[in-house]
């Protein structure tokens, strides 16, 4: 019965359709997709939300420059977002646009609810506003000498206007208590401490949540001079996407208003403040539960600086996908960029990582083992008693440990467990020397050795599925096995490897000449 199914709701930030997305954005969405696929593999019913954050002054300005309406402008870019997600194999359940009518109505109702609760009040705001980051800046967010925004480098402008405020100051104690009683609510821990020390403990100031100086936004029902300023609009998407306060709250009741659902929200560190302070306060004010975890990852740096359109150092994920395939990019993002600190991207690192792990380790293992089974056993292993040896023990332990770390959303660690297992299998070939067993006609021992290796490969393919969405099945194809038929419990039985046609096939991953590739990339990108 579906009511008994375990439930998982995962969200990414909704991206600004002001420019094309780069691999920094692809990173968050890929992590969400990997975790979502893992949860499905583990028997969960899931809901995976991503989308676009379309209102605000910056987009209004850009559309004007392009000579189109803001909606026409964002639609063009949103279509490119969807194309990218499609090429990257992102299986979202819903793509929300903040211009969707249902979202706009939902946000107005949320605003009214907060207002009637007494948590939103009219006042006047004077401050430095960064148009590019869509936020009012505090002293600590400004360069001391140039007075430029530390995140984007633009100069904020002085703004004074009538505005509604959200009474976040009222929630300071709630936040402190909640953080204390739920020690893993915000990860990594350093981010939680940063929020406490930089913002909460020095005293929270109420947040300006409406504007009157531009019109591209959602009007408040209370006062039509005011449009709801980006963050209340944007954060509400996580609820409106599920139909919160609409006529049909089925999804909301299933995936939010239910303490059994595991809710994971992914976000980059630059928007941690909004997600760890304002968002939990809004939820508390609305009388709603909190997510289980706010996972705030670091940045992908390109040569030590944050990738950004204005610096001109962005890496286009579509280029990498067209050149090397989506699995190679998904693997790099999942394995090489840990979530608890900043990670780096360079084309060289990308190519080296591919050669080391996908070609030399996994690809090599699959090709050697399938070749030997074709050659020595005419492509078929016959059923034998349960295999028991050190490599099998390592394999069973790997399955367990993989689940433990994936349940903690540690994708890089999970991948290192699988890579380590494949490394062990490659070593086992060197040590057991199947070619000598064949020469000495030790057929039983040879059969056991190759069956052990075949089993390890199928387990690895099974565990790699959330990341290598094309190649995991390609690996299993060598052994004529359909991964869709396997689960975390059936994978424990070794029977599936026997009495199948095991074939030698073209290489899984072709080795790349890094120097040559780098030259080609440079020539192409400079065109
Ligand atoms: N629209 C807001 C989010 C609202 S969520 C309710 C926004 N959008 S954004 O287009 O600027 O995207 C920000 C997200 O992109 C970050 O949170 C992060 O997930 C991702 N990244 C953008 N650049 C990045 C890197 N260089 N590295 C890693 N992730 C980065 O903020």
């Amino acid at each position: 019965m579906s009511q008994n199914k375990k439930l998982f709701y995962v969200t990414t930030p909704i991206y600004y359709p002001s420019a094309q997305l780069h691999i920094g954005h692809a990173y968050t969405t890929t992590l969400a997709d990997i975790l979502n696929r893992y949860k499905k593999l583990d028997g969960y019913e899931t809901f995976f939300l991503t989308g676009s954050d379309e209102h605000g002054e910056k987009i209004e300005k850009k559309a004007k420059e392009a000579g189109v309406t803001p909606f026409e402008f964002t639609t063009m870019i949103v279509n490119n977002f969807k194309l990218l997600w499609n090429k990257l194999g992102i299986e979202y359940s819903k793509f929300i646009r903040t211009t969707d009518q249902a979202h706009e109505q939902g946000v107005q109702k949320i605003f009214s609810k907060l207002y009637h609760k007494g948590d939103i009040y009219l006042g006047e705001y004077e401050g430095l506003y960064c148009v590019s980051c869509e936020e009012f800046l505090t002293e600590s967010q400004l360069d001391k000498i140039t007075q430029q925004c530390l995140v984007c480098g633009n100069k904020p402008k002085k703004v004074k206007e009538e505005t509604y405020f959200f009474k976040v100051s009222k929630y300071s104690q709630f936040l402190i208590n909640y953080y204390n009683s739920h020690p893993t609510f915000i990860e990594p821990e350093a981010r939680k401490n940063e929020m406490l020390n930089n913002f909460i403990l020095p005293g929270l100031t109420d947040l300006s949540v409406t504007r009157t100086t531009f019109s591209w936004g959602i009007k408040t029902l209370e006062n039509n001079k005011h449009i709801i300023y980006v963050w209340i609009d944007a954060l509400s998407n996580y609820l409106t996407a599920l139909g919160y306060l609409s006529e049909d709250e089925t999804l909301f009741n299933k995936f939010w208003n239910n303490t059994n659902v595991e809710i994971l929200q992914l976000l980059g560190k630059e928007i941690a403040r909004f997600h760890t302070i304002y968002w939990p306060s809004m939820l508390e004010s609305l009388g709603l539960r909190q997510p289980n975890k706010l996972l705030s990852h670091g940045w992908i740096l390109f040569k030590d600086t944050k990738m950004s359109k204005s610096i001109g150092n962005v890496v286009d994920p579509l280029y990498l996908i067209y050149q090397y395939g989506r699995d190679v990019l998904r693997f790099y993002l999942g394995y090489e960029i840990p979530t608890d600190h900043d990670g780096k991207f360079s084309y060289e690192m990308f190519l080296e990582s591919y050669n080391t792990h996908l070609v030399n380790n996994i690809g090599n293992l699959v090709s050697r083992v399938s070749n030997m089974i074709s050659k020595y056993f005419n492509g078929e292993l016959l059923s034998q008693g349960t295999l028991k040896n050190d490599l099998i023990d390592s394999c069973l332990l790997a399955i367990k440990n993989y689940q433990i770390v994936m349940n903690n959303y540690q994708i890089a660690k999970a991948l290192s467990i699988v890579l380590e297992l494949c490394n062990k299998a490659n070593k086992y070939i060197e040590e057991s020397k199947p070619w000598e067993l064949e020469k000495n006609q030790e057929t039983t021992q040879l059969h056991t050795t190759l069956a052990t290796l075949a089993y390890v490969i199928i387990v690895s393919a099974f565990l790699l599925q959330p990341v290598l969405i094309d190649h995991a099945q390609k690996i299993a194809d060598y052994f004529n096995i359909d991964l869709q038929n396997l689960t975390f419990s059936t994978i424990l039985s070794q029977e599936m490897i026997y009495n199948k046609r095991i074939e030698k096939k073209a290489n899984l991953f072709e080795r790349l000449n890094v120097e040559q590739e780098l030259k080609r990339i440079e020539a192409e990108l400079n065109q």
Side-chain angles (χ1 to χ4, degrees), residues 112-343:
S112 294
K113 209 166 169 185
L114 298 170
Y115 180 76
H116 292 299
K117 172 106 196 260
D119 281 350
I120 282 183
Y121 63 92
L122 192 60
E124 193 170 67
Y125 192 88
E126 191 173 355
L128 290 171
Y129 183 71
C130 177
V131 176
S132 175
C133 297
E134 312 257 20
E135 68 173 301
F136 284 101
L137 305 181
T138 59
E139 271 309 306
S140 65
Q141 293 168 293
L142 289 169
D143 183 296
K144 298 226 162 18
I145 299 160
T146 61
Q147 291 292 296
Q148 286 164 325
C149 168
L150 283 176
V151 171
C152 70
N154 291 321
K155 233 184 164 124
K157 58 179 192 182
K158 259 215 169 98
V159 172
K160 183 176 179 183
E161 62 183 87
E162 177 186 284
T163 183
Y164 284 92
F165 285 95
F166 174 53
K167 246 188 218 170
V168 69
S169 53
K170 173 176 158 189
Y171 291 95
S172 297
Q173 199 51 49
F174 161 76
L175 291 169
I176 295 169
N177 293 347
Y178 199 84
Y179 289 6
N180 284 339
S181 55
H182 298 81
T184 58
F185 177 51
I186 300 169
E187 270 185 37
E189 200 173 357
R191 197 89 67 234
K192 172 172 76 182
N193 298 334
E194 198 184 306
M195 295 299 130
L196 276 168
N197 297 331
N198 296 356
F199 301 108
I200 303 178
L201 295 174
L204 288 172
T205 38
D206 292 345
L207 178 72
S208 158
V209 290
T210 66
R211 305 289 306 278
T212 53
T213 52
F214 62 93
S215 57
W216 180 234
I218 305 171
K219 283 202 160 64
T220 64
L221 296 175
E222 287 68 24
N223 180 340
N224 71 5
K225 234 171 57 190
H226 285 255
I227 58 162
I228 296 165
Y229 151 71
V230 287
W231 282 97
I232 288 239
D233 172 9
L235 291 165
S236 298
N237 94 87
Y238 303 130
L239 299 173
T240 60
L242 300 176
Y244 175 54
L245 299 180
S246 76
E247 273 166 23
D248 183 0
E249 289 195 317
T250 318
L251 276 175
F252 168 70
N253 285 326
K254 184 167 183 179
F255 285 102
W256 196 287
N257 200 17
N258 168 359
T259 46
N260 288 328
V261 60
E262 183 179 332
I263 303 177
L264 168 67
Q265 304 205 264
L266 297 172
L267 48 128
K269 64 179 179 184
E270 78 279 23
I271 53 176
R273 182 155 68 98
F274 299 100
H275 284 81
T276 59
I277 296 176
Y278 304 120
W279 175 231
S281 304
M282 265 174 77
L283 288 169
E284 178 65 9
S285 176
L286 294 167
L288 299 177
R289 62 159 286 186
Q290 299 294 331
N292 295 74
K293 191 175 296 293
L294 296 163
L295 182 58
S296 167
H297 61 73
W299 286 337
I300 301 186
L301 305 176
F302 188 79
K303 297 195 177 121
D304 297 327
T305 24
K306 183 179 183 246
M307 243 172 248
S308 110
K309 197 92 190 162
S310 48
I311 306 175
N313 63 353
V314 292
V315 175
D316 179 4
L318 280 174
Y319 176 79
L320 295 174
I321 296 168
Y322 288 133
Q323 294 294 326
Y324 307 105
R326 56 190 184 180
D327 278 1
V328 181
L329 178 56
R330 292 171 66 96
F331 176 81
Y332 188 86
L333 296 174
Y335 181 62
E336 302 286 356
I337 319 274
T339 49
D340 52 358
H341 48 87
D342 290 346

Side-chain angles (χ1 to χ4, degrees), residues 2 93 98 108 122 140 142 147 182 196 219 224 283 320 373 393 433 460 467 474 517 519 523:
S2 73
S93 315
T98 53
Q108 288 174 324
L122 192 60
S140 65
L142 289 169
Q147 291 292 296
H182 298 81
L196 276 168
K219 283 202 160 64
N224 71 5
L283 288 169
L320 295 174
I373 298 173
D393 288 346
K433 298 189 176 59
S460 303
V467 180
K474 279 192 188 156
E517 278 303 303
K519 279 197 190 129

Side-chain angles (χ1 to χ4, degrees), residues 15 19-30 80-90 300 302 307 309 313-333 345 347 350 521 525:
Y15 304 100
Q20 305 303 354
L21 298 180
H22 55 67
I23 61 164
H25 308 103
Y27 175 55
T28 321
T29 311
T30 303
N80 288 332
F81 285 10
K82 289 185 176 167
L83 174 82
L84 170 61
W85 300 148
N86 177 285
K87 297 279 175 212
L88 197 51
I90 304 298
I300 301 186
F302 188 79
M307 243 172 248
K309 197 92 190 162
N313 63 353
V314 292
V315 175
D316 179 4
L318 280 174
Y319 176 79
L320 295 174
I321 296 168
Y322 288 133
Q323 294 294 326
Y324 307 105
R326 56 190 184 180
D327 278 1
V328 181
L329 178 56
R330 292 171 66 96
F331 176 81
Y332 188 86
L333 296 174
F345 180 91
Y347 290 101
F350 179 78
I521 293 172
L525 295 183

Side-chain angles (χ1 to χ4, degrees), residues 14 17 50-55 70-76 78-79 82 94-101 103-104:
I14 46 172
T50 190
S52 52
D53 185 1
E54 307 194 11
H55 296 120
F71 186 70
E72 283 165 347
F73 181 82
T74 55
T75 301
M76 249 158 28
V78 164
N79 286 339
K82 289 185 176 167
K94 184 180 169 89
F95 186 104
I96 188 170
R97 298 181 60 173
T98 53
T99 49
D100 292 342
Q101 208 192 5
H103 171 77
E104 297 196 343

